[in-house]
Amino acid sequence: MSFSPRSLLVTGGAGFIGSNFIHSYIAANPECRITNLDALTYAGNLSNLKAVEHHSGYHFVKGDICDASLVANILAVQNIDAVVHFAAESHVDRSITGPEVFVRTNVMGTQILLEESRKHWKSGNVENFRFFQISTDEVYGSLGETGFFTEETPLAPNSPYSASKAGADMLVRAYHETYGMPTLNTRCSNNYGP
């Protein structure tokens, strides 16, 4: 079934991958509204979005994905029909020296987004809804002799970062299996650019 969202919530949209997604999505779908929720921590930079900051369909909210009332308000007021969840604490080395914030943001933050999205989806105020989890191939652990991972590769995270992302992925899966919520996990690798 084809799905064309009219109003996206992009979390972590001021980061490298999220901001490039926003640029690309606006270029291809100029009629779609995008709300960018970002806490603007070490990885977020609004200058990544200078070219779209005055686009009529773009709206920025500085905030934390762990703030359930803020997330619920954005979903309702903006009538969000798709969440694209980039927001995460990242980098393995940072997770080794401070794992707590990784569990808070990556696991608890994802659960809060999922729960508020589930309530919004079940409210009857949106016709169609999707939750897209942007994860990492790091959840598979170290690359073995085969030279690649597949979707069937068992999860074997080796750092607090990858464990927190695997936990988030499992929550997304659980919300689909338990509640029937339309979700999708993606596990990209080695994103780079200018």
Side-chain angles (χ1 to χ4, degrees):
M1 172 167 94
S2 178
F3 175 66
S4 297
R6 295 182 303 270
S7 185
L8 293 179
L9 170 58
V10 177
T11 68
F16 172 69
I17 303 172
S19 63
N20 278 282
F21 170 81
I22 289 173
H23 283 285
S24 176
Y25 204 85
I26 285 176
N29 305 278
E31 72 291 341
C32 185
R33 295 185 324 273
I34 294 179
T35 301
N36 174 12
L37 174 61
D38 198 299
L40 295 181
T41 60
Y42 73 98
N45 186 345
L46 285 179
S47 67
N48 291 339
L49 295 157
K50 279 284 189 204
V52 298
E53 69 183 359
H54 298 296
H55 185 278
S56 62
Y58 173 76
H59 177 65
F60 173 72
V61 176
K62 182 178 180 185
D64 189 339
I65 61 171
C66 291
D67 183 341
S69 60
L70 174 64
V71 171
N73 182 264
I74 292 169
L75 290 166
V77 170
Q78 298 299 326
N79 197 27
I80 299 295
D81 54 6
V83 174
V84 184
H85 178 34
F86 291 98
E89 295 292 334
S90 62
H91 305 303
V92 170
D93 291 348
R94 288 186 65 250
S95 77
I96 292 167
T97 59
E100 298 85 4
V101 70
F102 284 75
V103 173
R104 179 188 180 275
T105 300
N106 298 354
V107 179
M108 291 303 301
T110 300
Q111 189 278 322
I112 289 165
L113 281 171
L114 283 164
E115 182 58 17
E116 296 308 320
S117 293
R118 183 188 69 79
K119 291 176 191 174
H120 177 66
W121 168 60
K122 287 304 228 179
S123 71
N125 294 328
V126 288
E127 187 176 329
N128 291 302
F129 184 83
R130 301 287 188 281
F131 187 100
F132 299 97
Q133 162 76 352
I134 312 303
S135 188
T136 174
D137 67 337
E138 298 235 8
V139 300
Y140 298 122
S142 298
L143 191 58
E145 293 186 23
T146 60
F148 59 89
F149 298 120
T150 72
E151 288 83 357
E152 287 78 37
T153 301
L155 300 185
N158 291 327
S159 70
Y161 163 64
S162 56
S164 68
K165 290 299 285 184
D169 290 359
M170 293 300 96
L171 282 168
V172 172
R173 182 183 185 282
Y175 267 71
H176 174 73
E177 293 296 323
T178 303
Y179 304 111
M181 196 164 107
T183 66
L184 178 69
N185 265 321
T186 64
R187 295 182 178 135
C188 46
S189 64
N190 298 333
N191 292 285
Y192 61 93

